[in-house]
Amino acid sequence: IKSIFLLAMMRYSIDFFHKIPLTILAILWDKTILGYFAFAHKIFMIFVSIFPFLIQEVMRTRMYYNIAKLFSKEIHKMVIPMVIYCIFTSFVWGMIYWWSYFGISRFFPNYATSVITVNLLCLSLMPLGIAKICSDFLCSLSLNKTGYALISWLSAIGLQVVLLVIFISNENDILTMVPIVYLISTLTIYILAFGAAFNVSRDWVKGVFQMMYMLSPLCIVGLINYLMY
């Protein structure tokens, strides 16, 4: 019962993690700002429902099958599928970056202000998907680290709340700063979940390299976009 309760708590924590920005904005700021962000957040959640959740389900099936054979060592055999996911989501983010302004200004002209928010939020797709995959692995019977995974997500939620409440005080920066805070929180849970799943503490150099290796496709696409802008 305890393990089921912790697992349910983690699932609710992940859902709540996505809703924190909207909740804080609804409490502290006016409806105009909330409306612009809600529009961008809705688009982002569409991509979340397609990519991180889809890849999570596909890889979880394979993961549990392999864990039954090789137990906790199996996570290292999932590096290649994770890298493929990172490359794919990085490519998708590049497309979003270049086409979001045209699409939103053409079909939703009243929300053209939300373009930069959409672009910044979608940067989180890659680390978010990897964090969810690693969290699933931590909750498996071979590791039984559901408590750690839950604490990691709750820590990221707490960080997000603190940053949103303390550091966002200028109305002109909200649509830029809120998704940046979300990205920082996502990278936090990415580091915590990835580090535990791959047991980074045994070899920090190799662990940090693996983390950066996963992020490299997104960094490359971001650099290309910056140079072409």
Side-chain angles (χ1 to χ4, degrees):
I1 297 176
K2 180 181 178 181
S3 61
I4 295 176
F5 175 75
L6 289 175
L7 188 60
M9 286 291 295
M10 196 192 76
R11 296 303 178 196
Y12 283 120
S13 297
I14 294 175
D15 291 338
F16 190 52
F17 177 84
H18 296 308
K19 295 179 174 64
I20 285 292
L22 281 173
T23 304
I24 298 298
L25 288 180
I27 295 173
L28 299 180
W29 298 96
D30 59 59
K31 294 181 179 179
T32 301
I33 296 295
L34 178 62
Y36 285 133
F37 184 82
F39 174 81
H41 189 266
K42 180 62 70 175
I43 293 178
F44 170 67
M45 291 307 296
I46 291 174
F47 286 106
V48 168
S49 66
I50 295 174
F51 298 113
F53 286 157
L54 177 61
I55 197 69
Q56 183 187 31
E57 292 302 319
V58 172
M59 294 185 70
R60 185 165 55 187
T61 301
R62 176 188 171 187
M63 181 179 68
Y64 289 150
Y65 169 75
N66 288 320
I67 282 176
K69 297 185 298 181
L70 298 176
F71 297 97
S72 60
K73 295 180 181 179
E74 183 56 30
I75 188 68
H76 295 281
K77 291 202 170 190
M78 297 179 62
V79 170
I80 293 179
M82 286 181 179
V83 170
I84 294 174
Y85 169 75
C86 292
I87 294 173
F88 181 66
T89 51
S90 299
F91 174 77
V92 170
W93 178 76
M95 295 296 99
I96 293 172
Y97 181 86
W98 285 109
W99 290 98
S100 59
Y101 179 79
F102 171 79
I104 293 175
S105 60
R106 177 65 182 273
F107 299 103
F108 309 98
N110 293 332
Y111 292 96
T113 307
S114 302
V115 170
I116 189 171
T117 309
V118 172
N119 291 339
L120 290 173
L121 282 174
C122 288
L123 268 172
S124 302
L125 285 172
M126 189 278 287
L128 182 64
I130 299 300
K132 288 180 176 179
I133 293 168
C134 291
S135 295
D136 270 353
F137 183 78
L138 292 173
C139 295
S140 63
L141 292 177
S142 62
L143 288 186
N144 194 25
K145 292 186 177 180
T146 306
Y148 175 88
L150 173 60
I151 292 173
S152 298
W153 281 99
L154 292 176
S155 299
I157 289 173
L159 175 64
Q160 194 174 178
V161 171
V162 170
L163 293 178
L164 287 173
V165 172
I166 295 180
F167 295 106
I168 298 180
S169 57
N170 189 340
E171 183 175 340
N172 297 326
D173 297 333
I174 288 179
L175 294 179
T176 301
M177 291 305 300
V178 172
I180 290 177
V181 168
Y182 183 89
L183 176 60
I184 292 172
S185 303
T186 303
L187 289 173
T188 299
I189 188 62
Y190 166 78
I191 292 171
L192 293 174
F194 187 96
F198 283 82
N199 204 4
V200 169
S201 59
R202 286 187 176 180
D203 189 342
W204 286 100
V205 175
K206 182 179 179 181
V208 171
F209 175 78
Q210 286 177 323
M211 288 185 188
M212 296 305 297
Y213 180 69
M214 291 288 182
L215 291 172
S216 59
L218 190 60
C219 295
I220 293 172
V221 173
L223 180 61
I224 293 174
N225 287 340
Y226 175 78
L227 294 175
M228 295 179 62
Y229 182 70

